[in-house]
Amino acid sequence: MRLFLDAHLSGRRVAESLRRAGHDVLAADEERALDEWRDDELLALAADQGRILVTCDVKEFPRIARGWAEAGRGHAGCTILVGIDHSQFGVILRTVAAVLEVRPDHADWRDYTCFVSRPGPP
């Protein structure tokens, strides 16, 4: 899958693990040029590159995704991690793996926004 990790998710820990699992991952915290970008601009970048956005930002991204849907603006998918601290790397990896397993076809993510919480014990 082509993924874009929001700035709150560790590129060093989360992105690298996802890459080892075979995913094509861009992480905002690995790209200094993205430091000052607004959240809607990050979703636009992910959409332009055909990447599913993964974020822990439950405050901003639901509003942005809803606004895009109301405006008829498309994106490549958005996964919002709920109740998971950005420092819980193992939980983030298990949660992302679980949601990608449920929806394994990249095309099925088009304009799909989901809220996911931590999966059960491994």
Side-chain angles (χ1 to χ4, degrees):
M1 292 280 196
R2 292 177 51 81
L3 305 171
F4 180 78
L5 303 183
D6 190 16
H8 301 288
L9 298 173
S10 172
R12 188 169 57 96
R13 295 210 172 134
V14 176
E16 283 303 318
S17 292
L18 290 169
R19 288 177 187 128
R20 283 193 300 275
H23 301 289
D24 177 347
V25 182
L26 175 65
D29 78 336
E30 294 177 333
E31 303 288 333
R32 295 292 69 150
L34 301 177
D35 281 348
E36 301 300 319
W37 285 37
R38 297 183 326 262
D39 290 335
D40 61 321
E41 292 173 324
L42 294 176
L43 183 57
L45 175 64
D48 289 346
Q49 293 187 5
R51 296 180 183 276
I52 300 163
L53 179 87
V54 181
T55 184
C56 289
D57 188 347
V58 297
K59 180 179 177 189
E60 294 299 322
F61 278 100
R63 179 187 56 76
I64 294 167
R66 184 176 55 251
W68 278 39
E70 290 169 354
R73 189 171 179 188
H75 57 77
C78 185
T79 298
I80 302 168
L81 306 175
V82 180
I84 302 171
D85 187 85
H86 61 87
S87 66
Q88 295 176 304
F89 307 118
V91 174
I92 291 168
L93 289 169
R94 286 192 305 276
T95 303
V96 171
V99 76
L100 294 177
E101 186 175 306
V102 169
R103 203 172 189 90
D105 187 346
H106 200 279
D108 289 342
W109 283 88
R110 178 101 180 115
D111 297 328
Y112 178 72
T113 299
C114 66
F115 296 83
V116 293
S117 59
R118 67 179 62 229

